Amino acid sequence: MEPGGSLRRAAGLLKGLVAALLVVVAIAGPFSVASWRGPKAEPLEWLEKAYRQPILEQYPYTTTKAFNIWWLELAWKKTGRGFLDSRKEVLGLSKDRLGKLLLAGSILLSLWLCVRKWGWTGEAWTAFAFLVAFAAFLLPTRVKARYIYYSIPYLVVMAQIFRPWRNVLKGLLFVATFEVTWYLWYAQKSGAAVWYSALLALCSTAILPYCYWTMWRATPQKSQHARTG
């Protein structure tokens, strides 16, 4: 191991976090100023309306046109409304809480794989970012279609350095294409459209375990070869 390598990586992570925080402040600054000058004079009013309320309070549906695991239930029940109540209970838990538990478990498993199998290499950091972003689309309730896009940049990078995930990129881009155009082909809610959407949800659902399986089989050395192979 290179002397001081772990400390340098930790310092690099700290610098990255500081830079990310500065970017967030720079982007949010104008919105905070506008909210502060508004009727309520609350600098974080934009955060409340744009994020906290939509995620935690509004739209209590299992999915809002997101082709994830909850869409499979919707397609199976052939619900024409396009959404299901996320507050109903399954196995003694509300679907909201069950989705959050699934997400927490996925994050822990991703963390374990990145630490134990890949040893927090450069690939591991990028893979972890993708797995968390994609799990946030796939597993929780109240997810919107556009959430799938947040994971794509990390996957584009990983597809260049880790060969098994090139197929993942193809599948995810396929699903994302139909996500962004759902209003063109799903708006009529025909029987065929419901089943097509179920196939897309199956594709999304298969991606996460496939990623775990390939990470379990691979090692940092193999992913390193993929960069030059």
Side-chain angles (χ1 to χ4, degrees):
M1 179 181 293
E2 182 182 358
S6 298
L7 291 177
R8 274 195 289 270
R9 285 196 295 270
L13 173 61
L14 181 60
K15 292 178 181 178
L17 292 175
V18 172
L21 180 60
L22 291 176
V23 170
V24 170
V25 171
I27 294 176
F31 299 97
S32 298
V33 171
S35 298
W36 179 63
R37 291 181 176 179
K40 296 183 179 180
E42 296 181 0
L44 297 182
E45 183 181 6
W46 64 272
L47 183 65
E48 174 79 8
K49 291 183 177 180
Y51 292 95
R52 199 195 72 81
Q53 288 183 0
I55 293 175
L56 299 179
E57 297 178 3
Q58 300 174 352
Y59 311 111
Y61 316 132
T62 54
T63 173
T64 54
K65 299 301 186 299
F67 303 137
N68 54 20
I69 61 170
W70 298 104
W71 190 271
L72 293 175
E73 180 192 26
L74 183 149
W76 178 60
K77 293 184 177 180
K78 299 181 181 179
T79 303
R81 295 184 306 145
F83 47 78
L84 296 172
D85 191 349
S86 64
R87 296 165 295 187
K88 289 186 177 180
E89 292 190 352
V90 176
L91 302 176
L93 296 173
S94 69
K95 294 178 181 178
D96 279 331
R97 180 165 295 183
L98 180 59
K100 292 175 183 177
L101 289 176
L102 289 173
L103 176 60
S106 175
I107 293 174
L108 291 176
L109 179 56
S110 301
L111 183 64
W112 183 83
L113 286 169
C114 289
V115 172
R116 293 287 297 176
K117 299 297 291 184
W118 285 18
W120 277 136
T121 60
E123 294 96 335
W125 283 108
T126 309
F128 183 70
F130 163 70
L131 291 171
V132 172
F134 182 67
F137 162 80
L138 182 67
L139 302 175
T141 56
R142 308 187 188 219
V143 171
K144 298 183 179 180
R146 65 176 180 269
Y147 291 8
I148 195 173
Y149 308 132
Y150 303 147
S151 63
I152 292 178
Y154 304 111
L155 182 56
V156 170
V157 175
M158 284 302 302
Q160 304 305 311
I161 60 179
F162 188 46
R163 287 183 182 274
W165 284 14
R166 293 179 183 179
N167 291 329
V168 175
L169 178 60
K170 295 175 184 177
L172 190 59
L173 290 177
F174 177 77
V175 175
T177 299
F178 285 93
E179 281 280 17
V180 74
T181 59
W182 69 264
Y183 56 90
L184 296 177
W185 59 273
Y186 187 79
Q188 302 301 321
K189 298 183 179 66
S190 65
V194 171
W195 288 113
Y196 291 154
S197 66
L199 290 176
L200 293 171
L202 280 173
C203 183
S204 297
T205 303
I207 285 176
L208 194 60
Y210 176 80
C211 289
Y212 290 148
W213 178 67
T214 52
M215 287 188 72
W216 174 259
R217 294 185 62 196
T219 64
Q221 289 75 23
K222 289 182 180 179
S223 60
Q224 180 73 22
H225 295 333
R227 186 186 289 110
T228 58

